[in-house]
Amino acid sequence: MLNREMPAPPTSGPSLRVPLRALAAALGLAVLALHPGSALADIFTYTDADGTVHFANRPTGDARFKLYIKGDGRRSSARAGVTPVAPSDKSLERFGRYDAWIRQAAALYQIPEELVRAVIKCESDYDPRAVSPVGAQGLMQLMPETALRMQVRDAFDARENIFGGTRYLRILANLFNGDLDLTIAGYNAGEGAVMRHGGIPPYAETQAYVTRVRTYYARYRTTRDTTVASIEP
């Protein structure tokens, strides 16, 4: 959801610099070994005392790891407490449907591809027709005024939305000197709110949003399979 208040600075500038503290909460995800024609490996997980979620694709001898998703895509009933239901291929294909446009937009505006994916995941869960209660639209949930600023004619056009949202991330990264937390906070609360408060605004929604985007950013950075990274933990 976007709520913009400040004029946009130029879109040119240095690449986004990710502070080391932005990776402190990175999830310990194991990269899954995939082979042509093979199914996904089983996924095991546990959450440590610091709240960090750890994943592995095979038993490690550590009793804390519990089966989370079976190789056929079904969630473990031990975690959910219900009979697992395998997600359909159609329900999962959305996570990779926009790969080419995400890569193009990320390259054009020099924003990490994984950050674009994380914002899309947290904003719309890859639903190009999503509309928020306050009127934010499309994959990256552009408000009409933001879409206009980013030269997006149709916010429900997936390609236009991705390029517009990524351009806005570039503007925010320039404005906040590459600070990842402030860039994410600005995307949610507006750059004006971030500037007034001199940091992440004291809004519960924005603080939770920064944490969630950073979490998915780490997930996308640490596994090559975007579908696995996109599945809710």
Side-chain angles (χ1 to χ4, degrees):
M1 182 190 308
L2 303 183
N3 176 22
R4 303 296 159 245
E5 303 174 46
M6 300 292 290
T11 57
S12 62
S15 299
L16 181 67
R17 299 188 298 278
V18 181
L20 291 177
R21 69 176 184 277
L23 301 181
L27 300 179
L29 295 176
V31 177
L32 302 182
L34 299 178
H35 304 280
S38 69
L40 289 173
D42 291 347
I43 301 175
F44 298 81
T45 184
Y46 84 89
T47 303
D48 65 23
D50 295 327
T52 300
V53 182
H54 299 264
F55 287 80
N57 63 337
R58 60 178 61 87
T60 64
D62 188 333
R64 293 176 297 178
F65 277 96
K66 305 298 181 183
L67 181 63
Y68 172 53
I69 299 177
K70 294 187 65 63
D72 56 10
R74 292 179 296 137
R75 290 198 179 192
S76 169
S77 58
R79 179 183 186 277
V82 297
T83 302
V85 178
S88 67
D89 291 340
K90 186 174 182 180
S91 71
L92 295 178
E93 70 179 6
R94 72 186 189 277
F95 296 131
R97 186 178 299 158
Y98 310 106
D99 284 358
W101 295 335
I102 291 172
R103 284 193 294 267
Q104 290 167 11
L108 177 63
Y109 293 114
Q110 292 295 286
I111 290 293
E113 179 182 325
E114 299 88 352
L115 179 58
V116 179
R117 293 184 186 278
V119 170
I120 292 174
K121 170 64 183 179
C122 294
E123 290 286 352
S124 69
D125 200 22
Y126 290 82
D127 180 359
R129 307 302 299 178
V131 179
S132 79
V134 297
Q137 300 173 338
L139 286 168
M140 298 187 76
Q141 289 289 276
L142 302 177
M143 292 291 286
E145 58 270 25
T146 304
L148 183 63
R149 284 176 59 187
M150 299 301 110
Q151 302 176 14
V152 174
R153 293 169 297 180
D154 181 3
F156 295 113
D157 180 290
R159 183 181 184 279
E160 281 197 66
N161 193 291
I162 290 169
F163 274 76
T166 306
R167 183 185 182 200
Y168 195 74
L169 286 171
R170 175 72 269 160
I171 289 171
L172 291 167
N174 289 353
L175 181 63
F176 298 122
N177 198 31
D179 188 293
L180 179 63
D181 288 350
L182 300 186
T183 297
I184 297 170
Y187 197 92
N188 176 261
E191 63 264 48
V194 175
M195 294 175 73
R196 283 196 307 273
H197 291 284
I200 300 174
Y203 311 148
E205 176 188 336
T206 300
Q207 293 173 351
Y209 180 83
V210 171
T211 298
R212 192 159 188 260
V213 171
R214 283 177 55 184
T215 296
Y216 275 102
Y217 178 54
R219 287 169 67 93
Y220 286 122
R221 284 171 58 89
T222 51
T223 178
R224 288 191 293 264
D225 190 303
T226 57
T227 296
V228 171
S230 299
I231 296 173
E232 292 284 354

